[in-house]
Each structure stands twice: as structure tokens, then as C-alpha cells.
Amino acid sequence: MGTYILRRLLLMIPTVIGMTLLVFVLIAASPGGIGAALNVSGGGQMESGTSKAQQQAYLEDRYGLDAPIVVQYLRWLGRVSPVKFGQRDLIAPTGEVIRSPRSISPPMHWDVFVDTLPADVAAEAPAFAFDAAATLDEKSRVYRLESQAYTRVRSEYVLSRAGYEQAAGEALRAVGLERFVNRDGTMKSGTPGSAIKAVLADAEQGPGVEQAFDESIERYAEAIAGRASLKEVFDARPFPAAGVPVIPNTLSLATPDLGMSFARGRPVTTLIAEALPKTLLLNFLAIPIIYFIAVPSGMLAATRRGGLFDVLSGGLYVALWSIPIVWACVLMLGFLANKETGLGWFPVTGLHSIDGQEMTWLPSTGPDGSFIRGYVLDTLWHMCLPVAALVYAGFAILSKQTRAAMLDNFNADYVRTAKAKGVRSRDIVLRHVFRNSLLPIITMFVSIFPAMLGGSVVVERVFSVPGMGNLVIDAIFLRDREVLLANALIIGLVNMFALLIADLLYALADPRVSYE
Amino acid sequence: MSQLTETTRSQPLESVTGVQLAQGIGHRPTKGFWGEAWDYVIKRPGAIFGLSWISVIAFFAVFAPFIASGYPLMVRELDADGSVTSVSYPLFAQLTATDVLLLLGTFAVFPWLLWPFKMGRSDRLIAAVFLAIQSGFAVIIASIVRDVFTGRDVSNWMRSAEQSAWFPVLVAVIVCGLAALMVSWLLPFRAWMSRVLAAGVVALVTGVVIVGTWTEPLGQFDYRQREAANEIKATYTLIPFSPQEGTTDRDLQQPFNSIADAVGEGEAARIAGSSNLFLLGTDSLGQDVFSQMLHACRLSISIGLVSTAISVVIGVTVGALMGYFGGWVDLLLYRVVEIFMAVPVLFLLIVAAAVLPRNTYVMMAIIGCVSWTGSARFVRAEFFKLRGQDFVQSARAVGLPLRSILFKHMLPNGVTPVLVDASFAIAAAILAEAVLSFLGLGPANQASWGRLLSEATGQVGDFMWWLAVFPGLAIFLTVLSYNLIGEAFRDAIDPKLKKARV
């Protein structure tokens, strides 16, 4: 058994990698890339006077989108992996993971213009060290200031580099080397140095490009210096290190870092921590309801096989199962929740009333004798329609499963023996048959749960429940890669563990099944 | 021989001796596996309902352009003193390749299937399906080529090539040749002459239709104004609205409102036929809902069938390889299956639909490529069982190629669960389309039940009941039909139930 579990766990690793890679490639393949979508959704607040290409360059640098897709994916994988190599990252009190500052690439074809690049070392001042008595707050302030300064010089450099590439692109086009120009007017990344030399030799275009390059190399020097001094502060370890060391400075274990949401600028972990409880609440209310209705009716259908109840319940469940969830949601919203066109019995959106936070926990009577619902009742009232929408389709599968499992056992020899002994038919059904058919019903829970996690997308969308489903849809429209990947990762892991547990439960409960 | 069976069948069962039975006399000739299953299915009321509803949908899928159209069947141009100068047929002029081919195919397929001649019925059915696939291929490839060449930022030579007269002819010839090549070897004709002939005839017809319908005319619905001004006299179809025909002054009309109700009495006098009813109301763009629902039948039928076909083809291929080879091939391919199983189908669908182009064909491909794991696992399990059996061993010993062993010998013995499951898969695909369209990720410029449904709750507090009830009902009935047919087939082939019935 132990080896089987280990094997399954190890096999999960390639599956998780493949799954996240699939989602990653899909998002990266979106027209215009993520940078374009961020630009549209206002991901970067830019001052006026910057061109579209510059804005794109800024966003791509900020979110690391300028690297090839494989590199981007490996970076992401490195962040979520619980096993880290090299020096440990720092963790700020806010929960943000602080990494060593990223390196900067020099402007394209610098070797055509200058012989050497500005050196990537700090001035000869003594190495930076914090005062031994400095508190965490003071250290944090020093680091923040330094990091803000670096962000500023870096973004200035990236903008000027984009300006240089654009100027070079225009010049290339002017001297007739259009094949080295991208569609947005910038120079292509594979342009040979000889093309730049040709541009510089041109009396009309040369000076402009040279000027643009001079500016960008100047900014590059500033950015390099900023990076070096930030690196010094970082090396002085202003924050406690993240994770647990296994081999010092080579291997450590740390909690996976799911990154920052592109569109909302908040850690993905917090976003999920806010959304997940709402989805879980809906599902954990819905699943017991499904069981309490479907299992007894499946039993009843099996005992009166071919009878009126069997036929009717079977037909009803197929009909319920065929109702599109979008239709059910819209009808409920229009006819039960809407005050003008329907009955208005239920609230239209959200999980709580606006004044829900001010309510008492339990129902109570107000000072003037009026009834106050209280927080719990208010939430339950809001959840009636979403839970109903989640529940109705689940009956069919579970009830059919129960019925089939019961029928299997009705044909078994031990039932005939029990009948021959004169056991009451009630006892046969409840004690013998039902107990033996319980196994597939229990393990079904494990497969229902992940399915519902995905299925609540529509319900949450229609009823404006700020759960995981809504988070996913918003993230898709904003091309918020980090949120999508984190969701795929979490849902996929939950799913695979559920499958594993289902298989193990089978083996535990049924001695005929063995994984040795 | 047939006489013999006649006489023996009329004998009462008791009078057949065991010896006669052993000689093959007296027992009923069986109809074969699928024939028996079909006989069982056709007796179930649920399946009868399902089949008839789907026939209705299929009818509208073919004939919707001739039932609901804003283009007049016939326009007579009048000059100043009211005499007819010329006659034109706008409805037929604006038909697309799909419209024409569907119509031709429908009129060709019934005599082909029902006419009594030597070839077996099932062979004829298979041939018809393959020829339909062939022309479908051609139309899809041609429309993709057109999309590529008429895109927003294409280079100049592409634009000028697209506008020249020889371009449609070239595309049609190449595309139909390719489609004929792809399909001709699949046709179940014995002689290759008739194979080539059949594939060639279909390719020719498809090519002619593609050339004839290459330029899509822009939708212009000024016939009513011109008729009111006594410039023309127009004859309309049963429902005189196209799905795309709408003006914002007719938006959100309740069912049974007319144009006159929408635009007011004074304006209505200037519009001919202003007493025409919007049977199921209009949507927020003023487009007739009933017309959209009829035209959406085609999307609904095709998205179910095509995406399920894609998923079955992928699933059967992958599953067959896994089941036949086992070992590391199985281990490796099963990781791929697990990848698609671990992420909920809806999640993948939404991500893919959001980042890929909004297009009917892309949508079918997405749904098909995401939902193939079920059939792969069915086929894998069946092939594991079949692998060791004698007929497979002997096929291998004779040295048959892998393709023949897998798909000719093993597959017919292991495909049953996949085909039964396909009915449920079609239902699931239609539901998936509804969800995607509802979330605003459906195909653009295409009448769809899901898109209509998504307009039911527009602004806060608005609820257009006719946009919720009718399209939702249509989706529900279609999904229910496929589910009922699937249930009937599953019961029909379930050996456990059969044993219990006896």
C-alpha cells in the first residue's frame, strides 16, 4: 500500500506540471499576449507622453513577460515549488515574498555604440550593514525606500530603452531595412549589428538613433547602480528568511508563493483565501442535501423496481439533470428573486445583506419588538437560490448510482440466504443490502466535490457570489495569469487527491481490491 | 432459401426439433447487435419523444433560411406608374454555401437511403455520412481561408488576391480536391471506381457552391421602406425577419407585439407590413427572437455532433494505443488523460474560449479537444480485455498492419460503450455551448440559444421573461432528448438488465 501511494504521489508531479503548462500556454497564446490585455485593462498607470510600445515594454518588464514562454513558465514553477534551491528568500511582515533584485539586460547592440558597459558593482564604500539595534520596522523602511528608488530608475531605463528601440525601428525603415522592423514599429530582437551600423552611417538617421541610445545607456548606468545598492541592502537581510533550510544556502523548503495578481495588485493567496470559504460554504451545504434526497429515493426505487415510484423518479431525475444550469439560475433570479417581475421572496445578489455586518449573530427581537434576522439566518436566506441551483442536477447521478448498487446486491446469494432464513424484508434492505451498497455511494462524494467546485462558476456568476468561480471569470476577462494558474493548480491538486482517496477507500473497504 | 425461412417461421415454436435447430432451421434470424438494440430503443416512449424532437430541430436546421428571413422570396421592381419592370429573388441570392449544401444534401439523402437497390442500407448510410463529412470539411476550410484573407491587417497581395475573380475558383478546387483525397479511401464502396466517382461528384458540387457563394453580401433590409414608398412589391417567407435584422427602435418587444407596436402609429404607416408580429418578442438589438431561435437550431445540432465526433476520434485513438500497447505507452498517455481529468472541463473550456478566436468551428474544436477523456478510458479498458484474445493474436501473427489490427479488428468489438456514451456527450456539449455563450464567450455574429438566454437579465432589475423562457426551454428539450436516447440505448445493450429481464 505504501509503495502504491508513493507511486501515485510521484506520478502527480508530471500531471501537475503538464496541467499548469497547458493553462499557461493557452493564456500566452491569447491574441496580443498578456501585456496587451493589461494595457487595455489599465494595468499600468502611465503618465501621458509615452508611446504604446513604451507602455507595453514597461508592463512586460514589470511582470517579467519579456522572457520566452518557457523561461516564464519555469520561473512560475520555481515560485510555486515547495522545494527551493540556492539562497533563501526573505518574507516581509505583510506576507509578501522578497527576492533578490532581478538582473537587467543592456540595450540591444550596445557593442556597436560603446566598448564597455557600466560596471555592475557598487562604489568602493564599505559593504552595507544594518545597525545591530535596528528594529524590523526601521530595516523595512530602509529596504522599502531603496526598492522604490530602484523601481523608479529601472522603469525609466525600460522606457528609454523602448524609446531607443522605436527610434532604431523608424530609422531602419527610413533606410530601407524594413525586414528588421516589428509591426508596432520597434526594432526586431534578432537584428544583426551590421544593420545598426548601416543606420549610423546614414547622415540623416544616424544622430537621432545615437542620441536615443546615449540616453538609454545613461539610464542603464543609473539602473545598474540602483540594483547594486538594493542588492547590498537585500544581502544585509532586512527581513527574516522564508521557509525551512534543509542544506544551508543550497536547499530549503518553503510555502509555495502563488504570486501577485496582475490586475488587482494583491497576493493571489489572499484573493483565494477570501473567495474559497464562500465556495466551500455553498458546496458543503449543497452536498448533504443531495445525499439526503438522492440516497433514500434511490433505495426506494431499487426496492420497488419497475414500480410507479421507480419510473417516475427516474424520469424526473433525468429531466432535472437536463435542465441547463444557466436556465435554472436565470429563471430563479427572474421569477423568485426579482421584485418587479417575480415574487421577490429571495435576495438577488451576494451572500449577505448590506447591513449584514451590523446584525447580531443569531435572530433576535429589536427594541421596538420587531424581528431581526441576524447574521446566520440572513446568510442562509441569501444562499437558498444558489444552493438550489447547485443541488438539483446532482440528484440524478447519485440516485442512479444508489439504485444500481442496491440492485447489484439484491441479486447476490446472501440476500437469498437471508430471505430463506426468514429475515424481514425491511431488515434485508436496510441491514444487508444497503450496507453493502454503501461503498460506491461514499466514494462518490470524493468525485462529486471537485465537480461541484468547477460547476459553481455559473451559479456564482449569476448570483454575484464573490467565490472562486467569480474570481476565475474575472481573471479570464482581465487575462490575470497568476490568478488563473493558481486556480488551476489548486483545483487540479484537489481533484487528484480526491481520485487518490477514492481509490484508497475502495481498497480499504473492499478486501478484494488490492494495489500490491 | 428465403422460402424455407418463410415456412419455418410460420411454424409454432414447439414443432421445431432440436435437430432442426442444430441445422439452422427454425430459429429466428437475428438482426445483429445494433439492430436488436434499435428495436428495443424505438419502443421506449422517452426515446420516441427524443428522436422526434431532434427531428424537428434537424428540420429547422436545414430549412430555417427558407422559413424565417428578412429577405423577400421575390421582389418585383415597380416604375412610377406601377408596372413591373424586373423581378429579383434576394432570398436565394444571399444563401451561404452551408445553406445550399444542406438543402441539396437533404434532398439527395432520402432517395439515396430509401431507393431499393443492391447496396446494403447501412453501407449507404455510412457512405452518406462520409460524403457529408467531406463537404463539411471543404466548407470549413474554405471559410477559414476566407477569414484569413479578409482579416483586419493582411498584406496587400493577399487582399488583391482575395478580390480577384480566380481566387474563389482556386480555393474551391484545392479545398475540394483535398477533402476528396481525405475521404475517398474511407468510403465503404468495394470498387474504387465508384469511390472516386462518389467523392468526385460531391467535391464538384461543393466546389461549385463555394464559388457561387464566395462573396457574402452585406445585410441590407430596406425592402419594407421601399415597399411603403411603392418602389417594389415584395413577397416574404412565413416569418419575415432575419436573425440579424434589427433596429434599436424595436428593442425588447414582448411576444406578439408587431412592428406597429414598436415604432408607433405615425411611423408604422411608412413601413410596409408593419402588422407583422414578433411571435416571441425581440432582444435588446430589436432582432426577432423566434427567427433567431430557428436559425440557432443549426448551431445546436452541429455543435453537439461535431464536437462529440472530434472527442470520440481523439479518445478512441488515444485509448486504443493505451489499451493495445500497455506498459510505458499507457503510463505516458495516461498522464495526458489525467491532465485533462484533473482540471474541470468547464474551467478549461472557459480559458480556451476566452483566449482563442470567437468562431463556431473553433468552439466545436475546443469542446471536442477538452472532453475526450471519457471515451479514451472506455476504449482503453475494452482493449485491455481484447488484447489477449485469439482473434487479435492471430491478426498479429498474420502480420496485419497496426492500423488494421486496432481499428478493423479490435475497435468494432470494443466501441459499444463509447457510442452509447456519445449521446450523453452530445447533450453535455450543448450544455457547454450554452454556458459559454451565457458567459459572453460564444461565437460572435451567430444566433445562439445561450446568447439569447444571457440577455434575459440585462440591467439591474430588468428581467425579460420571453428571453429566458423560450431559448432555455429549447436547450432543455434538446438536452433532454439526447439524454433520453442515451438512456434507452444504454438499457438496450446493458447485459445485466437483459439477464434480469428474462
Side-chain angles (χ1 to χ4, degrees), chain B residues 463-487:
Chain B
F463 177 66
M464 280 65 80
W465 63 269
W466 64 96
L467 285 174
V469 171
F470 304 119
L473 196 66
I475 304 174
F476 165 63
L477 285 177
T478 313
V479 171
L480 180 66
S481 299
Y482 280 116
N483 279 339
L484 285 174
I485 295 172
E487 290 243 311

PDB file of all heavy atoms in Angstrom, chain B residues 463-487:
ATOM      1  N   PHE B 463     -35.775  42.036 -16.209  1.00  0.00           N
ATOM      2  CA  PHE B 463     -35.892  40.609 -16.482  1.00  0.00           C
ATOM      3  C   PHE B 463     -36.853  40.440 -17.637  1.00  0.00           C
ATOM      4  O   PHE B 463     -38.027  40.734 -17.514  1.00  0.00           O
ATOM      5  CB  PHE B 463     -36.384  39.855 -15.249  1.00  0.00           C
ATOM      6  CG  PHE B 463     -36.587  38.396 -15.504  1.00  0.00           C
ATOM      7  CD1 PHE B 463     -35.515  37.577 -15.790  1.00  0.00           C
ATOM      8  CD2 PHE B 463     -37.845  37.835 -15.469  1.00  0.00           C
ATOM      9  CE1 PHE B 463     -35.695  36.238 -16.045  1.00  0.00           C
ATOM     10  CE2 PHE B 463     -38.037  36.490 -15.721  1.00  0.00           C
ATOM     11  CZ  PHE B 463     -36.956  35.695 -16.001  1.00  0.00           C
ATOM     12  N   MET B 464     -36.319  40.023 -18.816  1.00  0.00           N
ATOM     13  CA  MET B 464     -37.169  39.830 -19.987  1.00  0.00           C
ATOM     14  C   MET B 464     -37.558  38.361 -20.040  1.00  0.00           C
ATOM     15  O   MET B 464     -36.793  37.523 -20.498  1.00  0.00           O
ATOM     16  CB  MET B 464     -36.390  40.218 -21.255  1.00  0.00           C
ATOM     17  CG  MET B 464     -36.328  41.709 -21.516  1.00  0.00           C
ATOM     18  SD  MET B 464     -35.426  42.603 -20.255  1.00  0.00           S
ATOM     19  CE  MET B 464     -33.765  42.288 -20.778  1.00  0.00           C
ATOM     20  N   TRP B 465     -38.770  38.062 -19.549  1.00  0.00           N
ATOM     21  CA  TRP B 465     -39.124  36.653 -19.355  1.00  0.00           C
ATOM     22  C   TRP B 465     -39.100  35.870 -20.658  1.00  0.00           C
ATOM     23  O   TRP B 465     -38.747  34.707 -20.684  1.00  0.00           O
ATOM     24  CB  TRP B 465     -40.491  36.543 -18.673  1.00  0.00           C
ATOM     25  CG  TRP B 465     -41.626  37.094 -19.479  1.00  0.00           C
ATOM     26  CD1 TRP B 465     -42.101  38.363 -19.440  1.00  0.00           C
ATOM     27  CD2 TRP B 465     -42.393  36.396 -20.453  1.00  0.00           C
ATOM     28  NE1 TRP B 465     -43.119  38.525 -20.321  1.00  0.00           N
ATOM     29  CE2 TRP B 465     -43.333  37.326 -20.959  1.00  0.00           C
ATOM     30  CE3 TRP B 465     -42.403  35.101 -20.951  1.00  0.00           C
ATOM     31  CZ2 TRP B 465     -44.249  36.994 -21.943  1.00  0.00           C
ATOM     32  CZ3 TRP B 465     -43.321  34.770 -21.924  1.00  0.00           C
ATOM     33  CH2 TRP B 465     -44.231  35.710 -22.418  1.00  0.00           C
ATOM     34  N   TRP B 466     -39.450  36.540 -21.772  1.00  0.00           N
ATOM     35  CA  TRP B 466     -39.502  35.784 -23.027  1.00  0.00           C
ATOM     36  C   TRP B 466     -38.113  35.410 -23.505  1.00  0.00           C
ATOM     37  O   TRP B 466     -37.939  34.423 -24.215  1.00  0.00           O
ATOM     38  CB  TRP B 466     -40.272  36.561 -24.093  1.00  0.00           C
ATOM     39  CG  TRP B 466     -39.639  37.862 -24.502  1.00  0.00           C
ATOM     40  CD1 TRP B 466     -38.830  38.052 -25.570  1.00  0.00           C
ATOM     41  CD2 TRP B 466     -39.767  39.121 -23.865  1.00  0.00           C
ATOM     42  NE1 TRP B 466     -38.442  39.357 -25.635  1.00  0.00           N
ATOM     43  CE2 TRP B 466     -39.005  40.043 -24.593  1.00  0.00           C
ATOM     44  CE3 TRP B 466     -40.445  39.573 -22.727  1.00  0.00           C
ATOM     45  CZ2 TRP B 466     -38.901  41.383 -24.224  1.00  0.00           C
ATOM     46  CZ3 TRP B 466     -40.348  40.898 -22.375  1.00  0.00           C
ATOM     47  CH2 TRP B 466     -39.578  41.789 -23.123  1.00  0.00           C
ATOM     48  N   LEU B 467     -37.112  36.166 -23.105  1.00  0.00           N
ATOM     49  CA  LEU B 467     -35.739  35.810 -23.468  1.00  0.00           C
ATOM     50  C   LEU B 467     -35.201  34.704 -22.570  1.00  0.00           C
ATOM     51  O   LEU B 467     -34.197  34.075 -22.889  1.00  0.00           O
ATOM     52  CB  LEU B 467     -34.830  37.029 -23.373  1.00  0.00           C
ATOM     53  CG  LEU B 467     -34.974  38.041 -24.492  1.00  0.00           C
ATOM     54  CD1 LEU B 467     -34.136  39.261 -24.200  1.00  0.00           C
ATOM     55  CD2 LEU B 467     -34.545  37.413 -25.804  1.00  0.00           C
ATOM     56  N   ALA B 468     -35.832  34.488 -21.419  1.00  0.00           N
ATOM     57  CA  ALA B 468     -35.382  33.424 -20.528  1.00  0.00           C
ATOM     58  C   ALA B 468     -36.119  32.125 -20.828  1.00  0.00           C
ATOM     59  O   ALA B 468     -35.508  31.063 -20.904  1.00  0.00           O
ATOM     60  CB  ALA B 468     -35.609  33.831 -19.074  1.00  0.00           C
ATOM     61  N   VAL B 469     -37.432  32.233 -21.020  1.00  0.00           N
ATOM     62  CA  VAL B 469     -38.252  31.016 -21.069  1.00  0.00           C
ATOM     63  C   VAL B 469     -38.034  30.238 -22.363  1.00  0.00           C
ATOM     64  O   VAL B 469     -37.713  29.049 -22.337  1.00  0.00           O
ATOM     65  CB  VAL B 469     -39.743  31.374 -20.888  1.00  0.00           C
ATOM     66  CG1 VAL B 469     -40.608  30.164 -21.152  1.00  0.00           C
ATOM     67  CG2 VAL B 469     -39.981  31.892 -19.489  1.00  0.00           C
ATOM     68  N   PHE B 470     -38.167  30.907 -23.521  1.00  0.00           N
ATOM     69  CA  PHE B 470     -38.173  30.143 -24.785  1.00  0.00           C
ATOM     70  C   PHE B 470     -36.807  29.557 -25.148  1.00  0.00           C
ATOM     71  O   PHE B 470     -36.727  28.365 -25.446  1.00  0.00           O
ATOM     72  CB  PHE B 470     -38.746  31.008 -25.908  1.00  0.00           C
ATOM     73  CG  PHE B 470     -40.111  31.535 -25.596  1.00  0.00           C
ATOM     74  CD1 PHE B 470     -40.351  32.893 -25.524  1.00  0.00           C
ATOM     75  CD2 PHE B 470     -41.157  30.663 -25.330  1.00  0.00           C
ATOM     76  CE1 PHE B 470     -41.606  33.379 -25.215  1.00  0.00           C
ATOM     77  CE2 PHE B 470     -42.412  31.144 -25.023  1.00  0.00           C
ATOM     78  CZ  PHE B 470     -42.644  32.503 -24.967  1.00  0.00           C
ATOM     79  N   PRO B 471     -35.726  30.342 -25.162  1.00  0.00           N
ATOM     80  CA  PRO B 471     -34.443  29.717 -25.500  1.00  0.00           C
ATOM     81  C   PRO B 471     -34.042  28.642 -24.494  1.00  0.00           C
ATOM     82  O   PRO B 471     -33.540  27.586 -24.878  1.00  0.00           O
ATOM     83  CB  PRO B 471     -33.450  30.883 -25.456  1.00  0.00           C
ATOM     84  CG  PRO B 471     -34.270  32.103 -25.553  1.00  0.00           C
ATOM     85  CD  PRO B 471     -35.574  31.783 -24.925  1.00  0.00           C
ATOM     86  N   GLY B 472     -34.305  28.914 -23.203  1.00  0.00           N
ATOM     87  CA  GLY B 472     -33.965  27.921 -22.180  1.00  0.00           C
ATOM     88  C   GLY B 472     -34.728  26.635 -22.403  1.00  0.00           C
ATOM     89  O   GLY B 472     -34.171  25.538 -22.302  1.00  0.00           O
ATOM     90  N   LEU B 473     -36.018  26.774 -22.738  1.00  0.00           N
ATOM     91  CA  LEU B 473     -36.831  25.593 -22.994  1.00  0.00           C
ATOM     92  C   LEU B 473     -36.270  24.801 -24.167  1.00  0.00           C
ATOM     93  O   LEU B 473     -36.217  23.561 -24.138  1.00  0.00           O
ATOM     94  CB  LEU B 473     -38.267  26.021 -23.283  1.00  0.00           C
ATOM     95  CG  LEU B 473     -39.321  24.941 -23.197  1.00  0.00           C
ATOM     96  CD1 LEU B 473     -39.437  24.451 -21.768  1.00  0.00           C
ATOM     97  CD2 LEU B 473     -40.661  25.459 -23.675  1.00  0.00           C
ATOM     98  N   ALA B 474     -35.828  25.508 -25.198  1.00  0.00           N
ATOM     99  CA  ALA B 474     -35.275  24.816 -26.361  1.00  0.00           C
ATOM    100  C   ALA B 474     -34.019  24.041 -25.977  1.00  0.00           C
ATOM    101  O   ALA B 474     -33.858  22.869 -26.361  1.00  0.00           O
ATOM    102  CB  ALA B 474     -34.959  25.822 -27.465  1.00  0.00           C
ATOM    103  N   ILE B 475     -33.125  24.673 -25.215  1.00  0.00           N
ATOM    104  CA  ILE B 475     -31.914  23.962 -24.789  1.00  0.00           C
ATOM    105  C   ILE B 475     -32.302  22.748 -23.953  1.00  0.00           C
ATOM    106  O   ILE B 475     -31.808  21.636 -24.153  1.00  0.00           O
ATOM    107  CB  ILE B 475     -30.990  24.874 -23.962  1.00  0.00           C
ATOM    108  CG1 ILE B 475     -30.628  26.132 -24.735  1.00  0.00           C
ATOM    109  CG2 ILE B 475     -29.728  24.142 -23.566  1.00  0.00           C
ATOM    110  CD1 ILE B 475     -29.839  27.107 -23.910  1.00  0.00           C
ATOM    111  N   PHE B 476     -33.220  22.978 -23.015  1.00  0.00           N
ATOM    112  CA  PHE B 476     -33.620  21.905 -22.109  1.00  0.00           C
ATOM    113  C   PHE B 476     -34.177  20.714 -22.884  1.00  0.00           C
ATOM    114  O   PHE B 476     -33.788  19.572 -22.655  1.00  0.00           O
ATOM    115  CB  PHE B 476     -34.650  22.452 -21.117  1.00  0.00           C
ATOM    116  CG  PHE B 476     -35.398  21.401 -20.368  1.00  0.00           C
ATOM    117  CD1 PHE B 476     -34.729  20.542 -19.516  1.00  0.00           C
ATOM    118  CD2 PHE B 476     -36.768  21.264 -20.508  1.00  0.00           C
ATOM    119  CE1 PHE B 476     -35.409  19.563 -18.827  1.00  0.00           C
ATOM    120  CE2 PHE B 476     -37.461  20.288 -19.828  1.00  0.00           C
ATOM    121  CZ  PHE B 476     -36.775  19.426 -18.988  1.00  0.00           C
ATOM    122  N   LEU B 477     -35.085  20.978 -23.815  1.00  0.00           N
ATOM    123  CA  LEU B 477     -35.706  19.875 -24.549  1.00  0.00           C
ATOM    124  C   LEU B 477     -34.677  19.121 -25.391  1.00  0.00           C
ATOM    125  O   LEU B 477     -34.713  17.898 -25.479  1.00  0.00           O
ATOM    126  CB  LEU B 477     -36.830  20.410 -25.445  1.00  0.00           C
ATOM    127  CG  LEU B 477     -38.096  20.800 -24.685  1.00  0.00           C
ATOM    128  CD1 LEU B 477     -39.118  21.380 -25.634  1.00  0.00           C
ATOM    129  CD2 LEU B 477     -38.674  19.606 -23.956  1.00  0.00           C
ATOM    130  N   THR B 478     -33.746  19.863 -25.995  1.00  0.00           N
ATOM    131  CA  THR B 478     -32.733  19.189 -26.811  1.00  0.00           C
ATOM    132  C   THR B 478     -31.837  18.306 -25.947  1.00  0.00           C
ATOM    133  O   THR B 478     -31.568  17.148 -26.288  1.00  0.00           O
ATOM    134  CB  THR B 478     -31.895  20.237 -27.549  1.00  0.00           C
ATOM    135  OG1 THR B 478     -32.773  21.179 -28.146  1.00  0.00           O
ATOM    136  CG2 THR B 478     -31.052  19.608 -28.615  1.00  0.00           C
ATOM    137  N   VAL B 479     -31.382  18.879 -24.834  1.00  0.00           N
ATOM    138  CA  VAL B 479     -30.519  18.091 -23.952  1.00  0.00           C
ATOM    139  C   VAL B 479     -31.270  16.880 -23.420  1.00  0.00           C
ATOM    140  O   VAL B 479     -30.743  15.759 -23.394  1.00  0.00           O
ATOM    141  CB  VAL B 479     -30.018  18.985 -22.797  1.00  0.00           C
ATOM    142  CG1 VAL B 479     -29.303  18.160 -21.765  1.00  0.00           C
ATOM    143  CG2 VAL B 479     -29.099  20.048 -23.328  1.00  0.00           C
ATOM    144  N   LEU B 480     -32.527  17.108 -23.026  1.00  0.00           N
ATOM    145  CA  LEU B 480     -33.339  16.005 -22.512  1.00  0.00           C
ATOM    146  C   LEU B 480     -33.480  14.913 -23.566  1.00  0.00           C
ATOM    147  O   LEU B 480     -33.378  13.729 -23.261  1.00  0.00           O
ATOM    148  CB  LEU B 480     -34.714  16.540 -22.097  1.00  0.00           C
ATOM    149  CG  LEU B 480     -35.685  15.514 -21.529  1.00  0.00           C
ATOM    150  CD1 LEU B 480     -35.172  14.981 -20.215  1.00  0.00           C
ATOM    151  CD2 LEU B 480     -37.063  16.120 -21.335  1.00  0.00           C
ATOM    152  N   SER B 481     -33.699  15.307 -24.817  1.00  0.00           N
ATOM    153  CA  SER B 481     -33.868  14.328 -25.886  1.00  0.00           C
ATOM    154  C   SER B 481     -32.626  13.444 -26.002  1.00  0.00           C
ATOM    155  O   SER B 481     -32.734  12.216 -26.038  1.00  0.00           O
ATOM    156  CB  SER B 481     -34.101  15.026 -27.217  1.00  0.00           C
ATOM    157  OG  SER B 481     -35.255  15.792 -27.143  1.00  0.00           O
ATOM    158  N   TYR B 482     -31.459  14.069 -26.066  1.00  0.00           N
ATOM    159  CA  TYR B 482     -30.245  13.269 -26.201  1.00  0.00           C
ATOM    160  C   TYR B 482     -30.050  12.375 -24.986  1.00  0.00           C
ATOM    161  O   TYR B 482     -29.631  11.224 -25.105  1.00  0.00           O
ATOM    162  CB  TYR B 482     -29.030  14.169 -26.391  1.00  0.00           C
ATOM    163  CG  TYR B 482     -28.879  14.667 -27.804  1.00  0.00           C
ATOM    164  CD1 TYR B 482     -28.974  16.017 -28.097  1.00  0.00           C
ATOM    165  CD2 TYR B 482     -28.635  13.794 -28.842  1.00  0.00           C
ATOM    166  CE1 TYR B 482     -28.834  16.479 -29.385  1.00  0.00           C
ATOM    167  CE2 TYR B 482     -28.500  14.242 -30.137  1.00  0.00           C
ATOM    168  CZ  TYR B 482     -28.592  15.589 -30.402  1.00  0.00           C
ATOM    169  OH  TYR B 482     -28.449  16.026 -31.686  1.00  0.00           O
ATOM    170  N   ASN B 483     -30.356  12.896 -23.799  1.00  0.00           N
ATOM    171  CA  ASN B 483     -30.194  12.077 -22.603  1.00  0.00           C
ATOM    172  C   ASN B 483     -31.145  10.891 -22.620  1.00  0.00           C
ATOM    173  O   ASN B 483     -30.771   9.777 -22.240  1.00  0.00           O
ATOM    174  CB  ASN B 483     -30.434  12.918 -21.350  1.00  0.00           C
ATOM    175  CG  ASN B 483     -29.215  13.732 -20.977  1.00  0.00           C
ATOM    176  OD1 ASN B 483     -28.110  13.403 -21.377  1.00  0.00           O
ATOM    177  ND2 ASN B 483     -29.410  14.794 -20.232  1.00  0.00           N
ATOM    178  N   LEU B 484     -32.388  11.112 -23.053  1.00  0.00           N
ATOM    179  CA  LEU B 484     -33.357  10.011 -23.090  1.00  0.00           C
ATOM    180  C   LEU B 484     -32.933   8.954 -24.099  1.00  0.00           C
ATOM    181  O   LEU B 484     -33.012   7.752 -23.826  1.00  0.00           O
ATOM    182  CB  LEU B 484     -34.743  10.557 -23.459  1.00  0.00           C
ATOM    183  CG  LEU B 484     -35.461  11.320 -22.348  1.00  0.00           C
ATOM    184  CD1 LEU B 484     -36.733  11.935 -22.871  1.00  0.00           C
ATOM    185  CD2 LEU B 484     -35.768  10.399 -21.178  1.00  0.00           C
ATOM    186  N   ILE B 485     -32.452   9.397 -25.267  1.00  0.00           N
ATOM    187  CA  ILE B 485     -31.993   8.429 -26.268  1.00  0.00           C
ATOM    188  C   ILE B 485     -30.808   7.635 -25.720  1.00  0.00           C
ATOM    189  O   ILE B 485     -30.723   6.417 -25.847  1.00  0.00           O
ATOM    190  CB  ILE B 485     -31.615   9.148 -27.569  1.00  0.00           C
ATOM    191  CG1 ILE B 485     -32.853   9.794 -28.178  1.00  0.00           C
ATOM    192  CG2 ILE B 485     -31.000   8.187 -28.560  1.00  0.00           C
ATOM    193  CD1 ILE B 485     -32.551  10.682 -29.343  1.00  0.00           C
ATOM    194  N   GLY B 486     -29.893   8.362 -25.049  1.00  0.00           N
ATOM    195  CA  GLY B 486     -28.730   7.700 -24.461  1.00  0.00           C
ATOM    196  C   GLY B 486     -29.146   6.658 -23.435  1.00  0.00           C
ATOM    197  O   GLY B 486     -28.630   5.540 -23.416  1.00  0.00           O
ATOM    198  N   GLU B 487     -30.115   7.039 -22.570  1.00  0.00           N
ATOM    199  CA  GLU B 487     -30.591   6.092 -21.557  1.00  0.00           C
ATOM    200  C   GLU B 487     -31.163   4.857 -22.210  1.00  0.00           C
ATOM    201  O   GLU B 487     -30.886   3.729 -21.783  1.00  0.00           O
ATOM    202  CB  GLU B 487     -31.689   6.764 -20.731  1.00  0.00           C
ATOM    203  CG  GLU B 487     -31.197   7.853 -19.821  1.00  0.00           C
ATOM    204  CD  GLU B 487     -31.450   7.498 -18.389  1.00  0.00           C
ATOM    205  OE1 GLU B 487     -32.583   7.115 -18.083  1.00  0.00           O
ATOM    206  OE2 GLU B 487     -30.509   7.602 -17.583  1.00  0.00           O
TER     207      GLU B 487
END
